[in-house]
Amino acid sequence: MRVGNKSYRAVWMSGRDVVVINQPLLPHRFALLRLKNHRQTAEAIRNMTIRGAGTIGATAGYGMAQAFLEGADLNKAYRLLLETRPTAVDLKHAIDRVRACPDATAAVAEAERITLEYVARGEQIAKVGLPLIKSGSRVLTHCNAGWLALVEWGSAPAPVYLAHRKGRKVFVWVDETRPRCQGASLTSWELMQEGVPHKIIADNAAGFYMRRGEVDLCIVGADRIAINGDTANKVGTYTKAVLAKENGIPFYVAAPTSTIDPHCPNGDAIPIEERDEDEVHYIGPHRISPRGARAANPAFDVTPARYITGIITERGILKPTELRRLWKR
């Protein structure tokens, strides 16, 4: 994807350093951050300097490769990386693959292979989902599942990007996505780089536009998909799915097949990360709640499969009911 006149990935490896786009600085400042060792890489995942399931996976794979290069205790490095973000299954897939390598050279090559797989899957998701985006479509999305979240192309907005590049008229409603506001700060910024018309809306406004008939379909990303089709994504996704069902609007999840966890039977088995309550109390440096008040801050929620029209993957648009059969092969 292009920023200004230059192409970037969300993450790559340069020598022994992992280089990432510093996402918390967006949209007001674009900067790169060099992570010098696997501990810095783990911390960047934990504190959400980088985020998004695929980018987390790619970054963690590089972090595991750094541990090889450093001669670090691989078991300790593995546990450190694994514990940074518990919900996104792509992280475990990546570090499992890299840890199985025989040496540092193979580990670096495997981490790069994982990253390139995410790039290819994102591009294929764009092609698979393209028929859903008719000229004039009005799409609602939640959080950021774009190229910042999947190395390149992204998942949920990928068909929108491709449709726009092909000259189709498309408009996106962008949920602000409290409490960290990744829709307002990241998705809107990405759409502006692509020139896609859009408007940011408060999370609570989505039902207003659905009821008025101004949303044609919803497409969201995923951090983990259980084998029965239940899907964990940024908190607030479940609300949008229920509203879409009530208003007869198709609701799609877009994700690479690496996000499907064949060992997870249903949404109740997905671990939900609980983050610092200050993320709710503050917007930037400004506290918006009374001092002494407490807050709860689940980072994700689970959308039951019955609310999902289809799952857009690099292997096609799958019905949630198809996953169990396909992953038994």
Side-chain angles (χ1 to χ4, degrees):
M1 306 301 291
R2 298 187 69 80
V3 180
N5 294 317
K6 189 172 181 180
S7 295
Y8 289 92
R9 291 184 194 167
V11 59
W12 66 94
M13 201 164 187
S14 176
R16 292 188 170 211
D17 296 351
V18 176
V19 186
V20 299
I21 294 172
N22 194 333
Q23 296 190 30
L25 297 182
L26 294 170
H28 305 299
R29 181 182 168 206
F30 177 82
L32 304 178
L33 180 64
R34 298 182 78 93
L35 307 169
K36 299 293 186 179
N37 55 59
H38 79 277
R39 291 176 298 279
Q40 289 185 5
T41 300
E43 178 58 19
I45 296 170
R46 188 200 64 77
N47 67 22
M48 296 181 68
T49 297
I50 66 96
R51 26 69 52 214
T55 298
I56 287 172
T59 305
Y62 285 137
M64 198 70 222
Q66 283 179 308
F68 272 88
L69 291 168
E70 295 160 23
D73 184 315
L74 297 182
N75 289 330
K76 287 184 178 178
Y78 177 89
R79 289 194 298 273
L80 178 68
L81 289 160
L82 182 64
E83 291 169 0
T84 54
R85 301 291 306 277
T87 301
V89 74
D90 288 82
L91 186 156
K92 186 176 187 303
H93 287 166
I95 60 177
D96 282 348
R97 285 175 56 177
V98 177
R99 186 175 66 165
C101 292
D103 53 40
T105 300
V108 172
E110 184 68 8
E112 182 65 15
R113 188 175 299 112
I114 290 166
T115 299
L116 293 176
E117 286 173 6
Y118 282 126
V119 173
R121 288 168 177 169
E123 184 173 7
Q124 187 59 26
I125 286 170
K127 295 174 181 176
V128 168
L130 181 64
L132 300 176
I133 312 297
K134 312 298 183 186
S135 192
S137 289
R138 298 159 299 179
V139 182
L140 183 137
T141 192
H142 187 71
C143 195
N144 173 260
W147 65 271
L148 290 165
L150 193 65
V151 185
E152 284 185 18
W153 279 101
S155 57
V160 172
Y161 294 150
L162 186 56
H164 178 73
R165 292 180 183 186
K166 289 182 174 293
R168 298 182 191 177
K169 292 182 179 180
V170 59
F171 176 85
V172 182
W173 295 109
V174 179
D175 282 351
E176 61 177 343
T177 322
R178 281 278 291 147
R180 292 184 65 97
C181 296
Q182 297 105 317
S185 62
L186 303 181
T187 300
S188 177
W189 179 79
E190 281 192 26
L191 292 168
M192 289 184 73
Q193 305 307 305
E194 288 284 328
V196 177
H198 66 281
K199 286 185 179 179
I200 301 166
I201 58 173
D203 290 346
N204 289 340
F208 173 82
Y209 290 106
M210 288 185 188
R211 188 171 181 273
R212 283 176 36 151
E214 296 184 38
V215 177
D216 298 304
L217 72 161
C218 302
I219 311 180
V220 302
D223 286 81
R224 187 182 302 221
I225 301 173
I227 198 62
N228 74 334
D230 293 350
T231 296
N233 192 49
K234 183 58 60 179
V235 68
T237 301
Y238 171 51
T239 307
K240 305 308 182 302
V242 173
L243 286 167
K245 186 83 166 180
E246 174 66 22
N247 287 277
I249 297 167
F251 187 91
Y252 290 93
V253 170
T257 52
S258 57
T259 304
I260 298 167
D261 184 353
H263 305 294
C264 183
N266 54 55
D268 291 337
I270 298 175
I272 300 298
E273 177 184 1
E274 181 82 21
R275 293 190 61 82
D276 193 314
E277 62 185 85
D278 277 353
E279 292 181 354
V280 177
H281 289 309
Y282 288 85
I283 296 181
H286 304 291
R287 187 176 180 109
I288 59 172
S289 61
R291 295 200 177 276
R294 299 301 306 275
N297 186 20
F300 305 94
D301 61 19
V302 173
T303 299
R306 65 182 179 274
Y307 292 106
I308 298 170
T309 307
I311 302 171
I312 308 168
T313 76
E314 76 275 12
R315 293 171 57 177
I317 300 177
L318 308 176
K319 295 289 186 185
T321 53
E322 293 182 291
L323 301 186
R324 197 181 302 276
R325 174 175 56 83
L326 289 173
W327 265 255
K328 281 184 178 179
R329 295 178 181 177

